[in-house]
Amino acid sequence: GESVGLHLPTLSVQEGDNSIINCAYSNSASDYFIWYKQESGKGPQFIIDIRSNMDKRQGQRVTVLLNKTVKHLSLQIAATQPGDSAVYFCAENINTGNQFYFGTGTSLTVIP
Amino acid sequence: EPEVTQTPSHQVTQMGQEVILRCVPISNHLYFYWYRQILGQKVEFLVSFYNNEISEKSEIFDDQFSVERPDGSNFTLKIRSTKLEDSAMYFCASSKGGGVEQYFGPGTRLTVT
């Protein structure tokens, strides 16, 4: 099946620093990607998405970069805050199908 | 802001029993989904539902599982005869269309003993 993996299972950053969370995907047919944030005891929460016809998309304090050549996705969080502590998942979608394939997740801890 | 809701938040059942997990998707959404997450593992797709029928399902979604939209608001997942390995968080999600942003509920923690 499809494989979406994360390079680092855990990441610790100082409050105010920028965070970068990485994701590798294996299916070159994937054309839509979402970053989700999951806080303890809650469901995944949408952060930002990007389609394969773009290589960068910016939101509020977050930026997603897509490198289709190496099948790599990253999430950058600017000025990381304690409330950003959570597990972050990338998820990929293929040809507007209904199924999203999730990665294992990276646990981000923000140190005050 | 509209949100997906799920009940119960925690369900404990004995092996072999049937369970029904309930979800109320966002009202103007047309696509509904169930995912599961075994503790410490990634979120896995189970099934998608559109226009009153299953549109996609994964290998996990075998004959023990079924989904239903019994009325205009609820979306349910039934597990006919639970196994120990069914213990997981089950998330319901909904979306306006296929292949677009999916909104997740808070999940139901199913514990099979």
Side-chain angles (χ1 to χ4, degrees), chain A residues 2-4 32 34 36 38 41-44 46 49 51 89 93 96-104, chain B residues 31 33 35 37 40-43 45 48 55-58 89 91 98-106:
Chain A
E2 284 69 19
S3 173
V4 179
Y32 178 53
I34 294 179
Y36 282 98
Q38 187 177 25
K42 297 184 180 180
F46 173 90
D49 59 357
R51 296 205 174 268
F89 296 93
N93 182 268
T96 69
N98 296 319
Q99 181 172 171
F100 275 87
Y101 299 90
F102 280 74
T104 307
Chain B
Y31 291 76
Y33 314 86
Y35 289 80
Q37 185 178 30
Q41 297 186 25
K42 62 185 179 183
V43 177
F45 172 82
S48 62
S55 50
E56 281 185 56
K57 61 181 181 178
S58 71
M89 281 290 287
F91 293 106
V100 299
E101 178 186 343
Q102 296 178 7
Y103 293 81
F104 283 75

Side-chain angles (χ1 to χ4, degrees), chain A residues 27-86:
Chain A
N27 195 324
S28 56
S30 295
D31 55 6
Y32 178 53
F33 304 87
I34 294 179
W35 278 102
Y36 282 98
K37 172 186 180 183
Q38 187 177 25
E39 296 174 281
S40 181
K42 297 184 180 180
Q45 177 188 2
F46 173 90
I47 301 173
I48 192 168
D49 59 357
I50 189 168
R51 296 205 174 268
S52 59
N53 61 351
M54 304 173 69
D55 53 20
K56 181 179 180 179
R57 190 151 189 246
Q58 287 184 294
Q60 188 176 18
R61 284 202 305 119
V62 295
T63 300
V64 55
L65 299 178
L66 175 62
N67 186 330
K68 294 181 288 292
T69 302
V70 295
K71 296 199 283 288
H72 184 267
L73 194 68
S74 69
L75 176 70
Q76 300 177 3
I77 304 173
T80 315
Q81 301 169 359
D84 295 327
S85 294

Side-chain angles (χ1 to χ4, degrees), chain B residues 6-24:
Chain B
Q6 291 184 242
T7 54
S9 58
H10 190 191
Q11 174 85 48
V12 181
T13 189
Q14 288 189 325
M15 194 168 51
Q17 295 296 304
E18 174 184 287
V19 294
I20 298 176
L21 310 182
R22 302 179 191 280
C23 168
V24 178

Side-chain angles (χ1 to χ4, degrees), chain B residues 72-86:
Chain B
S73 60
N74 290 285
F75 179 53
T76 62
L77 174 69
K78 181 191 291 185
I79 308 175
R80 254 178 280 281
S81 178
T82 50
K83 303 186 286 289
L84 295 176
E85 54 264 39
D86 293 328

